[in-house]
Amino acid sequence: MLPTNSCSSPTMSSPELKKVTVSLPKRLDRSSERWHHYLTIDLIWYVLGYTLFHPWTSWILVLCLRAQYTKYHAPEMKIAMAWAMLMSAIGIFHIFSERLAFGSPREVDLSDEVIVITGGVDGLGGLLAETYGMRNANVAVLDTKRVDDEEAEEKGVLYYQCDVSDAKQVEAVAAEIVEDLGPPTILINNAGIAHTKSILDTTAEEVEQTFRTNTLSHFTTLRIFLPYMLREGRGTIVTVSSVLGHLGAANLSAYSASKAALLALHHSLRAELAQNPAAQEIKTILVTPGQMSTKMFVGVTTPSNFLAPVISPAEIAKSLIRMIEKGDSGELAVPLYAQYIQILGALPVGMQAIIRRWSGVDTAIAKAGLVKKDTSEKQ
């Protein structure tokens, strides 16, 4: 008889299993927001862009009508065909317009690119750095905040403690980046600070600091990193501005002015690159986001979540990464109202005043309790 292995019976005495209480991370908890909180004009526009306003979907409707033996002279067939031709014409015009303005896209292979991100520890820059790091890209981050070597190795990112407002520090770090990773080919100018004070309470030092970090640092990084791109014959330069560069806002005068300067800098950069034969494969992207859910403006809300939703850095990062890797130039303005904010300046001044009051752009910082007072003597 073959020997049989005896198994312990469940009723037999055995050590009790240790009970472990598990709690889901807070981010996985069910949101307390109602369903309509997530219904925004951006979502509706996105869905329409892939359905009613998409040329392919429009022609599918025509084919469906023909499958039902609808006559070509029938009113519904005429309307469907007219709509499909209109959407196709708009789509073709958009393609030609983009190609005329920005030229052909360049080829991007992440294994051959060296990505430099300023202000890449937190917020949008941090998300971009970590995303590229997970994809084994060559990423160098310039930030005043220090990151432990263990954390940097885990994220696959090289962090250089550097104040981008100091040209000498940037020059020194640039030499290290070239030695460690190679010539930079993608520059994401993202570093920024804000002093939430009125003009009267803002000191000269704070204004200078804001412009050095938000604006002058772009001139510094361009002067240092652009020559490498010209020698490589390829590159992408991302300028992160803000919708406040078009609007301005109370208690954010220095921040708004520094971001407005970046709009002019971007267009000037594009004009100069267009005149340089060696810069044909250097692409430029202007990012003008609306209210983001970052630490810089925590607690700031918009008057209408439907028309002006607060966007997450992930939404911007996803679209920006797509543009960079497609090798495109262009402008990235989100949410939807940011794409048409310049129309506000063409409206009658009275209507502009009404819209500003309704939007709460000039009271948002105060309502969030972020306004800081300075009782020291002004310079």
Side-chain angles (χ1 to χ4, degrees), residues 89-264:
I90 293 176
I92 294 172
F93 174 80
H94 178 73
I95 293 173
F96 277 99
S97 177
E98 293 282 316
R99 188 61 57 88
L100 179 64
F102 306 118
S104 303
R106 75 177 183 93
E107 293 185 6
V108 176
D109 183 356
L110 285 183
S111 61
D112 293 332
E113 305 286 341
V114 175
I115 306 169
V116 176
I117 305 175
T118 66
V121 172
D122 297 322
L124 174 61
L127 183 58
L128 290 169
E130 292 181 28
T131 301
Y132 278 123
M134 288 188 295
R135 299 174 62 185
N136 296 319
N138 303 309
V139 186
V141 167
L142 279 61
D143 203 301
T144 55
K145 299 176 182 176
R146 186 174 182 82
V147 177
D148 295 336
D149 294 339
E150 184 178 346
E151 181 181 351
E153 185 177 357
E154 182 181 349
K155 294 180 178 179
V157 177
L158 289 181
Y159 291 90
Y160 299 87
Q161 192 171 14
C162 171
D163 184 355
V164 292
S165 66
D166 187 337
K168 292 184 178 179
Q169 289 189 37
V170 178
E171 289 175 359
V173 167
E176 294 183 41
I177 294 174
V178 174
E179 183 178 351
D180 295 339
L181 299 175
T185 54
I186 297 177
L187 171 62
I188 303 177
N189 274 320
N190 169 75
I193 62 171
H195 292 287
T196 52
K197 294 183 176 182
S198 69
I199 296 175
L200 296 178
D201 287 327
T202 306
T203 65
E205 289 78 7
E206 289 170 338
V207 173
E208 183 178 352
Q209 182 190 27
T210 301
F211 272 85
R212 283 188 175 278
T213 303
N214 296 5
T215 308
L216 298 183
S217 65
H218 288 240
F219 285 91
T220 299
T221 54
L222 287 173
R223 286 197 307 267
I224 294 174
F225 294 114
L226 182 55
Y228 291 108
M229 299 183 192
L230 292 172
R231 283 196 288 269
E232 292 291 313
R234 58 193 171 93
T236 298
I237 300 171
V238 179
T239 302
V240 180
S241 181
S242 170
V243 72
L244 291 180
H246 294 291
L247 292 174
N251 301 306
L252 281 173
S253 56
Y255 177 83
S256 300
S258 66
K259 291 298 185 178
L262 293 181
L263 302 177

Side-chain angles (χ1 to χ4, degrees), residues 70-82:
T70 305
K71 301 296 183 180
Y72 283 107
H73 61 269
E76 59 269 29
M77 178 61 78
K78 290 182 179 180
I79 294 174
M81 291 186 65

Side-chain angles (χ1 to χ4, degrees), residues 261-327:
L262 293 181
L263 302 177
L265 172 60
H266 170 79
H267 294 301
S268 298
L269 173 64
R270 279 194 58 208
E272 292 187 12
L273 292 177
Q275 298 174 4
N276 191 333
Q280 292 183 357
E281 292 296 310
I282 297 180
K283 303 301 176 179
T284 58
I285 300 174
L286 174 65
V287 184
T288 53
Q291 174 62 37
M292 278 198 297
S293 55
T294 59
K295 294 180 181 179
M296 184 177 292
F297 298 120
V298 62
V300 177
T301 59
T302 61
S304 171
N305 188 69
F306 178 77
L307 295 175
V310 176
I311 54 176
S312 68
E315 296 178 65
I316 302 175
K318 179 178 66 176
S319 300
L320 180 56
I321 289 173
R322 186 187 301 116
M323 290 185 67
I324 292 174
E325 295 183 10
K326 287 176 62 179

Side-chain angles (χ1 to χ4, degrees), residues 49-66:
Y50 281 94
T51 54
L52 186 60
F53 295 152
H54 198 284
W56 175 259
T57 309
S58 301
W59 283 111
I60 289 294
L61 178 59
V62 174
L63 293 177
C64 290
L65 289 174
R66 281 299 299 156

